Structure formats: C-alpha cells, structure tokens
Amino acid sequence: MSITLTRHPEHARAAEILSDDALAFIEELHHRFAGRRAELVAAREDRRQEASASGTLDFLPETQAVREGDWKVAPAPAALQDRRVEITGPASPAKMAINALNSGAKVWLADLEDASTPTWENVIDAVANLTDAARGTLEFTSPEGKEYRVREDGKTAVVVVRPRGWHLPEEHVLVDGQEGVGALVDFGLHFFHNAKALTASGQGPFYYLPKMEHHLEVRLWNEVFTFAQEYIGIPHGTIRATMLIETIPAAFQMEEFLYELRDHASGLNAGRWDYLFSIVKTFRDSTAGDFVLPDRGAVSMTSPFMRAYTELLVKTCHRRGAFAMGGMAAVIPDRKQPEVTAAAFAKVRDDKTREAGDGFDGSWVAHPDLVPVCQEIFDGVLGDKPNQVDRLREEVQVTPAQLLDVAGASGEVTEAGLRTNLYVAVAYTAVWLSGNGAVAIHHLMEDAATAEISRTQIWQQVNQGVKAADTGNVITYELVQSVLAEEVERLRGEVADEERFERYYAPAAALISRLVSGRPEDYEDFLTLPAYRLLDQLNTQAGAR
C-alpha cells in the first residue's frame, strides 16, 4: 500500500475505523480523483480574478443547452421525501449526535465540515458515532453516569453526512507521499463502513456537499459516487447528495450542478453566511462595482440580491424535481433570559414563514428547541404533503444583475459592526483551535462560516478604505488593530482560565490580525486552512509537554 498515516489517532476505535480494507479504499479514491481535485481547486483563483476585474458574473454560455434541456434528477428515495425540518450539528461527541438523532427533526445534517474541528481524533470519533448510528447502537454515558441512547419510542432523524469541502486537506493521511484530501477521507471512511448497512435499511448513504464553485467540481463528486458504489457493490444511484449553493459562482450554475449529479442528486440548499462570504471574497478587490456589504447583521434574507438567489434556487430545484432546502436558524435558547429568546424565536418564525411561503421544502435549525417551531410553520403550508416540489414558481425571473445587486442592500458599515466582527472571528477561532467547531456566541450558534464572513468583511473594508457611518472614521489597519486589542482584552476578561486564553485566544487573535490587513498577500481563501496548520502546531506543543 502507498497510503501511510503520519500519526495513529488516540481513539479506542481507531484500528476499526482505519482498518486495512478501509485504508485501501481511501488509497484508491486518492489515486483516481485527488489529482483532478487539485486542478479544480487551483482553477478557482483564475476565475475569481477575472470576475473581480470585470465586476460581474453571468450564466455560462457553454452550458446553455443544459439550462434549456428537458431533464430531471432521479426520484427521491422514501427516506428523503419529507425534509421539512433538518437539524445541523457535529457528529462528535456522541452526546451531540444522539441529541440530534432524537430531536424530532426529519433529517440530521451530521457535519464533518463547518461545525467540526478536524482534529484526527474528532474525525475518527465522528465516523465511529455515525457507524453506530447506522446500526441503531449509538449510546453514551457521561462521567457523571448519565446515559444517552437513541430513542426507541419514535422515528429518529435520517442522517445526511457533510464531508469537508474540496479545498481542505487531511494531513494525517499520506498517499504516495502527498497529503490526503479531507473530503475523500471523510466520505471514504463513512461510506466504506456504512454503505451496505444504510442501503439495506433504506436510510442512505446520503450526503451534503459543501463549498463548490463550478459544475466540474460536481462532476468529480459524481465520478467518486459512481466508482464507490461499484467498489462496495451497491446499485448505481443509491447515494443521494444535496449540494449547498453557498458560493456566488455556484448561484450562476444551479442547473448545471443538478445536471452533473442527476442520478445522485437530491436537492440544493440556500446558505447565508458562506454565500455572503463568497460574494465578498470573490469581489474583495474589485474596482468595477460596489461590492462592500453593510454590517453582516444588517444583511437579511429579504435583501433584494438574497431574494433573487433564494427564489432562483426554489424555481431551479422544482423544475428539475429536486428539493429546495432553506437556511439556518442559529438561535440558542437562553432560559435565563426568556425575553431575549422570545424575540429571537419571533425572528425565526418570520424567516421560516418566508421560506415555506416561497416554496422551500424544508429548512435548517441549530437547536432541538427550534424543531417544533420550524415544523409547525412547514406543517401549516405542507399539510399532509411531504414536500412542495410541485410548486414550480414559473413566475420567477432572475437576472445576473439582480444576483449581484449588493449595492441595493440596506444598512451601513459601522465601527460597531467592525467590533462585532473582530470579537466573533477571534472567539470562534479560539474555540475551534481547542477542538470544538460549533460555538455559542451571544445566543447564536456560530460555525466557520460566520468567522469567514467576519474576517473577510474587515479585510475588504481596510482594502477599500471604507468610512464607518457611526463614527466617520476610515477603517484602516491601524484602527482595526486598536479595536482588536480592545476586543482581545474583553475576551481575556471573559475567559476565566489564563492558561486557556494564552493557549487558544492569543494565537487566534494573532491569526485574525494578519488576515484582516487589507493586503493581497495576507488574504487567505479559507480561514480554516491556516487555522488547521496552527491546530497541528498546538497539538504538537501539547504532546511535547
């Protein structure tokens, strides 16, 4: 075998998950697909520079026949017909996985990406938990003796696994001396151990595919799925995948995404923070148009350019027989502040009411307490129907200009917003470095997407010399450094353990400080790439002590 591990994970079931047969499958995936993946990821920057220089994007002329063709995706399996409420969250630790399965949601998006820190141990633990979940044997006993088990008195959520995006590596796996592809490791380990069991039960294997920017990246996943099914010996088309339309280039290729994956396609999802992050990232240095977003908290899904995006998604999905899935309700209830929770729940109701009314077939929540809220709203629209794919939205007509009308969003750039962005970016990155990828900050469940939009907005504001509406100050790197120092001291006061602060928050602050300079050479396509290297350094230091 040409596959090697740089380190054996400290996990009781590592030998089982990383068996010789499983590693042979991972090795074969890399030999067949890793080279093409590298080419596709590298091609993103050339397209980004072209879009930024021109200040625009358009529907692809070379795929016009796909958009005008008469085709549909494969019919949905029974387990995915009703997706009116989906809960999201990491698959590690086991307690969180059990809570998601027992939440009452129709689907659990088991997240190995934005809501997970990809330590080697977390990756193995997630696959182990998902392997037990596929067999109905997942359980957990806390140090205090409290037992958690998958419920037997009702239906549990159908599991849809989100592997890492194409851009992320897995440094603990080497194939022919080259660093592994995180997406192929995550998918490969889960699929190898669970495909046959899930096929037999009719519960999968199902996936969510993140961060793609071009339909050729989707084609590669389709090739992976086709090969994997043949390798394991399950029928072609057993795998079903929902794709996240969370990049601005993908918004112009929704039809193509579904077409490339059509035998394995289930639907598309309309994200929020990653989509806004992608817009800012793509046009961050553009002088051809106004792509400076107002404070992220001011950009709602009712902004004209966001409405164009979501309405096009619903129309596209239903035209092709696919599901349109709505965005995240990230509220975390606070029983000590019921008035704050009540106000937040009211906003969630408004958001889910808009989605259900627009034709979405279901939506995401981040906390079990939001499951009945979302279900009630979709029940009111769907009734006994499992979905509303038959609602075609033929009246919707969306132009490239509407998708790119960032200047039409209401709201302003403020120094208060800058402060919030810096706080969230540092606080989230610090907790991510500690091994937890889903973080409650100010009553919201934050993941990597919110940290991404936060730090990218600041970079753009510095680069473009934006003036803050509330203070009149131009947002310079010097101003950012001053505000950052204040927010870091604020965090120091909130973190009781000084050793913990120095271990995680100090390096997180240093990383964010570099990434928001406004200088092209300091911009990173993904925060999680340098953070992943920093994570390895911290783990190495911990092992040396």
Side-chain angles (χ1 to χ4, degrees), residues 153-381:
D153 60 343
K155 295 186 69 172
T156 57
V158 175
V159 178
V160 180
V161 178
R162 177 162 70 170
R164 279 170 281 183
W166 279 134
H167 60 288
L168 289 168
E170 176 47 71
E171 65 182 11
H172 299 100
V173 173
L174 301 180
V175 180
D176 298 323
Q178 299 296 311
E179 196 169 55
V181 178
L184 294 179
V185 172
D186 293 348
F187 165 77
L189 289 176
H190 174 264
F191 182 85
F192 181 84
H193 289 292
N194 298 294
K196 287 187 176 180
L198 291 169
T199 301
S201 66
Q203 297 291 299
F206 304 139
Y207 297 94
Y208 258 107
L209 303 179
K211 302 288 190 298
M212 291 184 290
E213 297 189 10
H214 197 276
H215 67 276
L216 294 181
E217 298 176 21
V218 180
R219 182 179 297 176
L220 184 61
W221 266 120
N222 196 63
E223 292 170 359
V224 170
F225 292 163
T226 298
F227 167 74
Q229 289 164 139
E230 182 178 354
Y231 186 99
I232 294 293
I234 60 175
H236 178 83
T238 304
I239 293 173
R240 295 303 166 87
T242 305
M243 295 169 281
L244 292 99
I245 302 299
E246 56 185 349
T247 68
I248 186 62
F252 288 85
Q253 300 181 49
M254 295 184 198
E255 298 258 16
E256 292 88 337
F257 274 36
L258 289 171
Y259 181 80
E260 292 291 352
L261 202 68
R262 59 195 180 279
D263 288 349
H264 302 108
S266 178
L268 304 176
N269 167 266
R272 180 181 181 183
W273 295 128
D274 265 318
Y275 187 72
L276 293 175
F277 160 53
S278 175
I279 292 173
V280 178
K281 177 171 74 171
T282 299
F283 297 103
R284 64 182 182 264
D285 49 5
S286 176
T287 58
D290 185 3
F291 291 101
V292 177
L293 283 172
D295 291 349
R296 69 180 180 97
V299 183
S300 72
M301 297 303 288
T302 59
S303 297
F305 75 105
M306 296 298 281
R307 288 287 290 160
Y309 151 63
T310 56
E311 296 227 297
L312 179 61
L313 187 144
V314 172
K315 178 182 179 178
T316 301
C317 285
H318 290 181
R319 181 188 180 200
R320 302 306 183 181
F323 298 120
M325 303 307 303
M328 172 69 77
V331 173
I332 303 299
D334 186 343
R335 291 171 177 82
K336 296 179 180 179
Q337 295 182 280
E339 68 286 352
V340 173
T341 299
F345 272 41
K347 291 183 179 179
V348 171
R349 285 183 176 278
D350 289 344
D351 191 50
K352 300 310 175 190
T353 299
R354 172 192 55 79
E355 289 183 330
D358 283 350
F360 281 95
D361 300 291
S363 193
W364 287 4
V365 300
H367 192 278
D369 285 1
L370 288 170
V371 170
V373 176
C374 186
Q375 174 144 346
E376 177 188 344
I377 291 165
F378 275 88
D379 284 352
V381 172

Side-chain angles (χ1 to χ4, degrees), residues 98-138:
I98 293 168
N99 286 343
L101 287 166
N102 292 345
S103 66
K106 297 292 185 181
V107 168
W108 168 38
L109 188 162
D111 197 3
L112 278 68
E113 200 226 13
D114 271 2
S116 177
T117 302
T119 65
W120 201 203
E121 284 68 27
N122 280 354
V123 171
I124 301 306
D125 193 54
V127 175
N129 292 337
L130 291 169
T131 298
D132 288 346
R135 291 156 179 79
T137 60
L138 183 60

Side-chain angles (χ1 to χ4, degrees), residues 80-109:
L80 287 180
Q81 285 284 341
D82 189 338
R83 304 175 63 173
R84 67 188 69 196
V85 188
E86 300 192 346
I87 192 166
T88 72
S92 172
K95 175 185 172 181
M96 292 190 71
I98 293 168
N99 286 343
L101 287 166
N102 292 345
S103 66
K106 297 292 185 181
V107 168
W108 168 38
L109 188 162

Side-chain angles (χ1 to χ4, degrees), residues 409-422:
S410 60
E412 299 173 315
V413 174
T414 68
E415 205 166 312
L418 168 68
R419 189 174 295 277
T420 298
N421 276 344
L422 285 167

Side-chain angles (χ1 to χ4, degrees), residues 371-450:
V371 170
V373 176
C374 186
Q375 174 144 346
E376 177 188 344
I377 291 165
F378 275 88
D379 284 352
V381 172
L382 295 177
D384 294 332
K385 294 171 55 180
N387 55 67
Q388 51 184 334
V389 173
D390 59 345
R391 190 175 170 200
L392 298 181
R393 297 301 312 274
E394 292 177 338
E395 78 281 6
V396 171
Q397 299 295 326
V398 175
T399 67
Q402 289 173 315
L403 289 170
L404 297 173
D405 185 22
V406 173
S410 60
E412 299 173 315
V413 174
T414 68
E415 205 166 312
L418 168 68
R419 189 174 295 277
T420 298
N421 276 344
L422 285 167
Y423 180 95
V424 169
V426 174
Y428 177 82
T429 303
V431 180
W432 191 93
L433 290 171
S434 75
N436 184 2
V439 185
I441 301 176
H442 298 161
H443 309 295
L444 294 175
M445 184 61 76
E446 308 279 17
D447 64 11
T450 46

